[in-house]
Amino acid sequence: LYRRYGLWFRLRKLILWLLGMYIAIPFLVKLCPAIQAKLVFLNFVRVPYFIDLKRPQDQGLNHTCNYYLQPEEDVTIGVWHTVPAALWKNARGKDQLWFEEALGSSHPVILYLHGNAGTRGGDHRVELYKVLSSLGYHVVTFDYRGWGDSIGSPSERGMTYDALHVFDWIKARSGDNPVYIWGHSLGTGVATNLVRRLCERETPPDALILESPFTNIREEARSHPFSVASTQYFPGFDWFFLDPITTSGIKFANDENVKYISCSLLILHAEDDPVVPFHLGKKLYNIAATSRSFRDYKVQFVPFHTDLGYRHKYIYRSPELPRILREFLGKSEHEHGH
């Protein structure tokens, strides 16, 4: 009897603790929207661990230079610049000045905006840089303020301003070479914010590529596997969890931004994406395809079948990707030449 009573006591204690957490966590999130912002950005997650971002060569990027730029006072961002594979031998042992001048060579440039969590040295990101470099592109990527070794506090406004600063830095050095914007996952929100701003000031990029995009951060948060399960068992889920995202000033409204973008648009999405559901990428494409802002530009949606297993971040593995980019960006480069 004593043993049975002790077991029941411990079980009851565990149930009460779980019930307390079930009630306390939503209120904590509601009262402290900054918590929800951290869950969206996940900038405190550094995977892979123990890599030196000052040494991209440790990740197999022997033709890459590490820079630091300063978009604003008290903000410093770490940047990687990978030159096209054709310049690999020339790049060995060269300093930052050589790499900056190389942007003026006759090769197009891709500004890559990564998603949440991790750093510019993430494995799938590095593999994409290698693919793009092999296809003849300069790849410039960076960690937003608060990510990796970049200094500053993360916010949607700050991330967008960082991207704008790097874009202007590239344009000041790349001459007439085409410059493309590539955003992945949360980076698609930064990308459309950036390109909308560039179009409004009449300096659009030559094309925009969105990999695994969503419509807006609220719909994405609601469609996340964790949220889908939570809405079934937690009344008031929107009020507790989704409203604080908006309160934190986080919108990443891709669906609104595409209505103000005037450049070629390519959307890539895997049907088996478990993080950003495929239907959100398709929905964004449908909004863009019917938008008057794109009437003079190419808008293309490329799905990747579930059987391929590319999920959320492995589209770079597709043997079709070089052809897709060549056909799409080749057309953009033709338009640029005119």
Side-chain angles (χ1 to χ4, degrees), residues 8 91 201:
W8 166 243
R201 75 176 196 186

Side-chain angles (χ1 to χ4, degrees), residues 151-184:
I151 298 169
S153 299
S155 67
E156 181 174 352
R157 185 208 69 82
M159 295 163 73
T160 304
Y161 191 81
D162 293 344
L164 177 63
H165 181 81
V166 177
F167 177 85
D168 287 341
W169 180 88
I170 292 169
K171 289 295 287 183
R173 292 157 177 78
S174 60
D176 292 329
N177 296 326
V179 178
Y180 309 120
I181 309 295
W182 184 312
H184 173 244

Side-chain angles (χ1 to χ4, degrees), residues 8 20 59 110 123 145 168 187 213 239 246 261 268-269 273 275 280 285 300 308 333:
W8 166 243
Q59 310 308 307
I110 291 179
D123 292 342
R145 60 188 71 188
D168 287 341
W239 188 79
T246 308
I261 288 174
L268 309 171
H269 213 135
D273 190 329
V275 178
L280 290 185
Y285 165 74
Q300 183 178 352
L308 297 169
E333 287 168 21

Side-chain angles (χ1 to χ4, degrees), residues 1-75:
L1 276 175
Y2 178 77
R3 189 180 301 167
R4 191 176 298 172
Y5 177 79
L7 181 63
W8 166 243
F9 178 78
R10 286 195 296 272
L11 183 61
R12 188 175 63 175
K13 194 174 179 181
L14 176 63
I15 292 171
L16 288 173
W17 182 83
L18 291 173
L19 183 63
M21 294 295 289
Y22 181 78
I23 296 170
I25 288 176
F27 278 101
L28 188 63
V29 170
K30 184 67 179 177
L31 294 171
C32 304
I35 295 174
Q36 190 70 327
K38 286 187 176 296
L39 293 177
V40 171
F41 295 141
L42 292 177
N43 59 300
F44 54 88
V45 178
R46 286 196 59 167
V47 179
Y49 296 100
F50 311 120
I51 71 168
D52 185 352
L53 292 169
K54 295 182 178 67
R55 294 178 50 82
Q57 60 268 33
D58 291 349
Q59 310 308 307
L61 295 171
N62 296 316
H63 50 317
T64 298
C65 187
N66 181 63
Y67 309 145
Y68 290 97
L69 302 179
Q70 191 168 14
E72 295 180 302
E73 190 177 353
D74 299 326
V75 175

Side-chain angles (χ1 to χ4, degrees), residues 13-289:
K13 194 174 179 181
L14 176 63
I15 292 171
L16 288 173
W17 182 83
L18 291 173
L19 183 63
M21 294 295 289
Y22 181 78
I23 296 170
I25 288 176
F27 278 101
L28 188 63
V29 170
K30 184 67 179 177
L31 294 171
C32 304
I35 295 174
Q36 190 70 327
K38 286 187 176 296
L39 293 177
V40 171
F41 295 141
L42 292 177
N43 59 300
F44 54 88
V45 178
R46 286 196 59 167
V47 179
Y49 296 100
F50 311 120
I51 71 168
D52 185 352
L53 292 169
K54 295 182 178 67
R55 294 178 50 82
Q57 60 268 33
D58 291 349
Q59 310 308 307
L61 295 171
N62 296 316
H63 50 317
T64 298
C65 187
N66 181 63
Y67 309 145
Y68 290 97
L69 302 179
Q70 191 168 14
E72 295 180 302
E73 190 177 353
D74 299 326
V75 175
T76 303
I77 56 175
V79 181
W80 280 359
H81 171 199
T82 302
V83 296
L87 301 179
W88 182 83
K89 288 185 178 178
N90 293 336
R92 284 186 292 184
K94 297 299 195 300
D95 60 9
Q96 179 174 334
L97 181 60
W98 182 90
F99 274 83
E100 291 189 38
E101 290 176 347
L103 285 169
S105 63
S106 57
H107 295 273
V109 185
I110 291 179
L111 170 57
Y112 178 79
L113 305 171
H114 69 64
N116 67 356
T119 68
R120 61 191 184 277
D123 292 342
H124 64 283
R125 294 162 187 165
V126 168
E127 293 306 314
L128 178 62
Y129 312 154
K130 291 176 181 177
V131 170
L132 297 177
S133 172
S134 72
L135 297 176
Y137 300 103
H138 289 276
V139 182
V140 178
T141 187
F142 67 95
D143 281 317
Y144 316 105
R145 60 188 71 188
W147 272 259
D149 57 354
S150 297
I151 298 169
S153 299
S155 67
E156 181 174 352
R157 185 208 69 82
M159 295 163 73
T160 304
Y161 191 81
D162 293 344
L164 177 63
H165 181 81
V166 177
F167 177 85
D168 287 341
W169 180 88
I170 292 169
K171 289 295 287 183
R173 292 157 177 78
S174 60
D176 292 329
N177 296 326
V179 178
Y180 309 120
I181 309 295
W182 184 312
H184 173 244
S185 192
L186 188 67
T188 65
V190 182
T192 65
N193 280 349
L194 168 63
V195 176
R196 175 177 176 175
R197 187 163 175 174
L198 293 175
C199 290
E200 287 173 346
R201 75 176 196 186
E202 300 183 353
T203 58
D206 294 278
L208 171 62
I209 302 165
L210 301 178
E211 180 189 357
S212 309
F214 48 84
T215 46
N216 58 69
I217 197 65
R218 190 181 179 96
E219 281 197 358
E220 156 55 14
R222 199 165 221 292
S223 302
H224 194 276
F226 170 79
S227 302
V228 171
S230 298
T231 51
Q232 297 176 9
Y233 305 106
F234 199 96
F237 178 83
D238 285 20
W239 188 79
F240 276 111
F241 290 99
L242 301 186
D243 289 352
I245 296 178
T246 308
T247 303
S248 300
I250 304 172
K251 297 179 180 178
F252 292 114
N254 289 336
D255 49 355
E256 276 301 307
N257 288 338
V258 294
K259 298 174 184 176
Y260 299 91
I261 288 174
S262 302
C263 70
S264 297
L265 172 65
L266 173 63
I267 296 178
L268 309 171
H269 213 135
E271 292 178 352
D272 58 338
D273 190 329
V275 178
V276 180
F278 179 78
H279 72 86
L280 290 185
K282 187 68 174 177
K283 182 177 179 180
L284 182 65
Y285 165 74
N286 291 333
I287 294 169

